[in-house]
Amino acid sequence: MQAKELACKIVSVGAWGSYFANWDELQQLMQGSDVGQTKNVGPKPAVIPANERRRAPLPVRLAVESSWQATQAANVPPESLTCVFVSGLGDTDLTDYMCKTLASEHKELSPTKFHNSVHNAPAGYWTISTKTMSAANSVAGYEESVSLTLLEAMIQCESENVPLLVTFYDAPVADVLQPILANREPFAFSLILYPASADIDGTLIRANVTYNERAPWPQLQSSNEYIAALYANNPTAKILSLAPLLTQSFACEDVVKMPLSKGTSVTFQRSQGRV
Amino acid sequence: MNIDIIDYESCSAAGINLAALRVSLRQHKSGLIKNDLPDSALNTWIGRVEQVDAIDDLQQWQSRNNALAALGLEQGAIKQTLANLTKKYGSARIGIVMGSSTSSIDRTETAYTDLDTNGELKPKFRQPLVHNPHAPSLFVAHYTGLTGPSLTINTACSSSAKVFATGARWLEFGIVDAVLVGGVDTLCLSVLHGFNSLQLLSENPCKPFDQHRDGINLGEASGFAILQRGTENTNSSGIRLTGYGESSDAHHMSHPHPDGLGAKMSMTQALQRAQLPPDAIDYINLHGTSSRANDLIEGRLVSELFPRTTLCSSTKAWMGHTLGAAGITEAIIAMDTLKTNTIPGSMNLETLDQALDFSIQATDQQRVCQHVMTNSFGFGGNNCTLLFSRVG
């Protein structure tokens, strides 16, 4: 059977990083603005109750912050959204904590840190904070996290005919693991997707999988060193290669091709005009 | 839904392959042993797969979790079935969806016990493809030579149930012509000491749904199934995935919703997708961890939703709770009843929890089943229900 073309609308975007607090600020950096004098401290997503937020690890706060921004920008109730969360590297700070503790004489782990260490902790905090009872997937794809998860989200959006929140996030890697997983920058990015037939404003994106070839990741057009390092080292920042399709102010590229697996690639194409 | 299961294999403490598992199930022979994991003094029972210890030649891929995946892939006809499919469709048209909760954190733990004098990773542990949550799929792709899309689902204990839903959607959209779904999770100090910190471990062999149950036993397992569109398969096992449900509790990271609302939603969705009434379900393999709270909530829900003619059991007393591999392990046990016509009893059940009243008993029952269901519930309030049916 031939692979079907996938189509859905991107309705809104959320984003957070050291030098941007939202999608507008990220676009300015990508277009060449200088980074600010001070780094943002970790995000404090308002939707997580204060007592929970204090205990929430950075990956959770990153993911929930950008998810909340995208949901607000789309002006849709969060509980109406099925969600897919992805991190390429997981919470290495908690892995580091657990492995150090377990390598010591006293192996008692904090129960809160243990349950926060599950890969779906961000999805859990999101669904608990927003009272969302829809399906929440939590996936990993290492270097291909972005392409695999976009594909997964579009398939789910179209096959279940539901609006969908997809959130990409990765936090800086703990020191011991730095030599093999180089990321030093926090990053989170969210998209709200609707089925192509939905009566809502958005950018129509089509996706096609191609076989027996592995495309390289696109070169990112950015003169900003911070953005270039982010793109190179943070697996989920590879979503920035999709930026040309998300804003008219970038060069007129309408097609972005990404590697999907050893033997496949995926092409995302923007349909002309807004629909 | 029209997705066929064309092959499946299970590897756990109850048997390193399906044939051995069937024997253990029939003989009510548990694989649980007193905890003997190195460096762990916890007084509990575990389901360890002894044969994994000998697999030490994976080089840059070495981890206990990958070794358990490799052991599982060597069982039955899985490799041959994949080879036949690859010949027919090409390796890029076959996908992989794996579920896991620990991935290869066992290896990270080992690396941290053996850091160099500067506190850094020794060269043999510098394994970027192992120390990340996608490791199970990366390894399975390497080991099988499959080059299609491969995704890892990490939703704690629902992980390898959800792989069926994702795999089915990939097939329905023609993204792949076949998909290897599976789960692999390994006993390691993180999970043993983590569950101990939550005071969830039992000092005894677990007794799901029993009045005197006092906690869970952890185990390790790998399991695989190969899915194809029903119209195209050439090697049907006679089993079809007819429904799935996925939902969230929206309640608490490590406690289930007190009324089981999310779990109810996932079971109801699976029935709706399959267009089946509750009384069509012959057997439910319950999540049934043997924890006080989980079993009570799941048992109440089942008695509320299903008639007494739907037979139920938990099979965790055979291999323990295998976490991210529990979904596939129990999906295989559930779907295999369509072939063996034997519903496993709920081992170690002596006196049913007095607050519960539904069709669960300790002894096996013979029945030609048409439709069977399995539940998987995970941390973060993540739920998945699967429904399998006899073809024709």
Side-chain angles (χ1 to χ4, degrees):
Chain A
M1 172 177 167
Q2 200 177 348
K4 281 186 197 162
E5 181 179 71
L6 299 163
C8 66
K9 284 180 191 170
I10 296 178
V11 173
S12 68
V13 181
W16 197 92
S18 291
Y19 296 102
F20 55 91
N22 54 52
W23 172 225
D24 280 345
E25 291 181 19
L26 174 56
Q27 287 179 81
Q28 286 164 26
L29 287 176
M30 291 186 72
Q31 287 165 54
S33 296
D34 291 335
V35 296
Q37 294 291 315
T38 50
K39 267 191 168 187
N40 294 331
V41 293
K44 291 182 181 165
V47 66
I48 305 181
N51 59 332
E52 292 290 322
R53 198 168 58 217
R54 273 194 297 278
R55 292 188 295 181
L58 179 60
V60 166
R61 287 181 287 122
L62 286 170
V64 173
E65 171 65 24
S66 73
S67 299
W68 184 240
Q69 285 182 21
T71 308
Q72 296 283 91
N75 196 24
V76 294
E79 64 273 18
S80 68
L81 303 168
T82 296
C83 37
V84 182
F85 286 73
V86 64
S87 161
L89 306 174
D91 191 333
T92 59
D93 271 348
L94 283 177
T95 303
D96 182 76
Y97 156 77
M98 292 205 295
C99 291
K100 275 184 178 153
T101 306
L102 294 167
S104 74
E105 287 287 298
H106 303 287
K107 300 191 187 333
E108 288 85 15
L109 295 175
S110 144
T112 303
K113 286 190 174 175
F114 174 64
H115 77 214
N116 280 344
S117 75
V118 296
H119 194 71
N120 62 319
Y125 274 85
W126 171 256
T127 53
I128 292 164
S129 301
T130 58
K131 308 279 178 231
T132 298
M133 296 190 75
S134 316
N137 213 348
S138 181
V139 302
Y142 191 50
E143 299 285 7
E144 277 72 49
S145 288
V146 161
S147 47
L148 284 163
T149 307
L150 265 177
L151 182 77
E152 171 65 13
M154 287 181 73
I155 292 172
Q156 209 171 337
C157 183
E158 203 169 327
S159 77
E160 312 283 335
N161 195 31
V162 288
L164 206 121
L165 161 69
V166 52
T167 292
F168 310 84
Y169 64 95
D170 263 312
V173 171
D175 288 345
V176 174
L177 295 168
Q178 273 279 345
I180 54 167
L181 308 168
N183 178 45
R184 288 181 184 278
E185 283 292 341
F187 177 81
F189 194 93
S190 298
L191 297 169
I192 304 289
L193 307 179
Y194 267 73
S197 59
D199 183 20
I200 190 166
D201 278 347
T203 307
L204 186 68
I205 303 280
R206 299 179 189 282
N208 285 284
V209 178
T210 52
Y211 298 86
N212 302 311
E213 59 156 354
R214 182 188 158 84
W217 280 99
Q219 294 285 320
L220 190 71
Q221 306 297 326
S222 179
S223 55
N224 184 312
E225 280 178 24
Y226 158 70
I227 292 289
L230 189 61
Y231 186 70
N233 296 328
N234 188 314
T236 54
K238 296 282 188 290
I239 190 65
L240 297 181
S241 59
L242 197 74
L245 306 193
L246 298 178
T247 168
Q248 300 289 352
S249 47
F250 286 101
C252 50
E253 274 179 69
D254 279 330
V255 180
V256 172
K257 193 169 195 175
M258 302 181 191
L260 190 62
S261 68
K262 200 171 175 186
T264 60
S265 302
V266 57
T267 302
F268 297 98
Q269 182 161 21
R270 176 175 56 195
S271 283
Q272 287 307 314
R274 290 175 77 84
V275 291
Chain B
M1 284 180 60
N2 191 11
I3 302 296
D4 278 3
I5 285 79
I6 64 164
D7 199 358
Y8 53 94
E9 268 297 333
S10 169
C11 180
S12 74
I16 66 162
N17 54 38
L18 184 63
L21 173 64
R22 282 175 178 165
V23 171
S24 295
L25 288 172
R26 291 305 84 82
Q27 297 179 347
H28 279 223
K29 187 175 154 224
S30 173
L32 295 173
I33 53 168
K34 273 269 206 184
N35 178 28
D36 63 352
L37 217 65
D39 299 320
S40 173
L42 297 177
N43 180 16
T44 184
W45 289 64
I46 58 171
R48 189 159 63 82
V49 182
E50 226 180 276
Q51 292 85 343
V52 182
D53 300 340
I55 301 173
D56 59 1
D57 56 352
L58 300 181
Q59 296 160 5
Q60 60 157 330
W61 294 97
Q62 188 68 44
S63 75
R64 185 174 182 84
N65 209 58
N66 286 346
L68 184 51
L71 183 66
L73 285 166
E74 290 299 326
Q75 306 307 316
I78 291 282
K79 278 208 308 195
Q80 190 54 51
T81 308
L82 289 175
N84 295 344
L85 289 166
T86 304
K87 202 171 164 191
K88 187 170 177 187
Y89 299 112
S91 66
R93 290 285 301 170
I94 305 170
I96 297 168
V97 188
M98 290 293 293
S100 186
S101 71
T102 64
S103 292
S104 281
I105 200 169
D106 72 272
R107 188 67 173 173
T108 323
E109 286 176 10
T110 308
Y112 271 65
T113 61
D114 192 19
L115 297 174
D116 69 17
T117 48
N118 297 322
E120 291 175 359
L121 290 175
K122 285 185 178 168
K124 65 176 172 179
F125 294 115
R126 297 195 175 190
Q127 304 165 276
L129 301 180
V130 164
H131 300 288
N132 79 79
H134 188 39
S137 295
L138 289 168
F139 174 71
V140 169
H142 158 76
Y143 197 80
T144 59
L146 298 177
T147 61
S150 76
L151 188 70
T152 307
I153 295 181
N154 320 89
T155 52
C157 307
S158 59
S159 300
S160 62
K162 286 170 80 79
V163 298
F164 285 88
T166 290
R169 287 190 287 257
W170 287 13
L171 286 167
E172 284 177 339
F173 276 80
I175 300 299
V176 289
D177 286 319
V179 57
L180 174 67
V181 302
V184 55
D185 233 337
T186 302
L187 283 167
C188 55
L189 295 179
S190 302
V191 292
L192 272 177
H193 289 257
F195 277 91
N196 185 56
S197 76
L198 295 168
Q199 299 180 306
L200 285 171
L201 296 184
S202 171
E203 295 182 0
N204 306 297
C206 67
K207 298 161 76 78
F209 298 97
D210 192 275
Q211 175 69 24
H212 304 294
R213 69 188 181 279
D214 60 0
I216 74 172
N217 301 147
L218 295 174
E220 60 190 353
S222 65
F224 297 93
I226 301 171
L227 312 184
Q228 254 191 297
R229 286 179 290 273
T231 45
E232 292 169 21
N233 81 69
T234 48
N235 181 27
S236 176
S237 66
I239 299 166
R240 183 161 287 174
L241 174 69
T242 41
Y244 59 81
E246 298 175 279
S247 71
S248 301
D249 272 1
H251 177 69
H252 190 274
M253 276 302 291
S254 54
H255 301 296
H257 189 288
D259 300 320
L261 289 186
K264 185 176 181 177
M265 206 183 245
S266 78
M267 283 190 262
T268 312
Q269 265 182 33
L271 289 169
Q272 282 168 351
R273 197 178 298 269
Q275 297 181 297
L276 288 171
D279 65 7
I281 307 304
D282 293 294
Y283 168 58
I284 305 175
N285 188 297
L286 302 157
H287 188 56
T289 58
S290 187
S291 100
R292 293 298 312 176
N294 284 286
D295 286 8
L296 181 66
I297 291 161
E298 188 182 18
R300 277 182 175 155
L301 266 181
V302 167
S303 58
E304 179 191 324
L305 292 174
F306 295 90
R308 301 279 309 193
T309 48
T310 300
L311 306 179
C312 302
S313 66
S314 162
T315 44
K316 288 201 164 55
W318 269 274
M319 71 290 289
H321 186 1
T322 59
L323 306 176
I328 183 91
T329 303
E330 289 155 20
I332 286 170
I333 293 173
M335 70 171 83
D336 205 44
T337 63
L338 298 171
K339 285 192 134 176
T340 63
N341 301 327
T342 303
I343 292 174
S346 211
M347 189 160 56
N348 293 352
L349 176 67
E350 290 167 32
T351 314
L352 180 61
D353 186 328
Q354 285 158 14
L356 292 174
D357 180 19
F358 67 112
S359 292
I360 183 168
Q361 54 189 46
T363 50
D364 296 354
Q365 297 188 60
Q366 300 301 314
R367 180 186 285 189
V368 178
C369 298
Q370 296 299 323
H371 307 286
V372 297
M373 186 180 252
T374 180
N375 280 332
S376 297
F377 309 134
F379 272 11
N382 201 289
N383 311 300
C384 183
T385 297
L386 300 173
L387 217 160
F388 299 98
S389 303
R390 182 185 295 274
V391 178

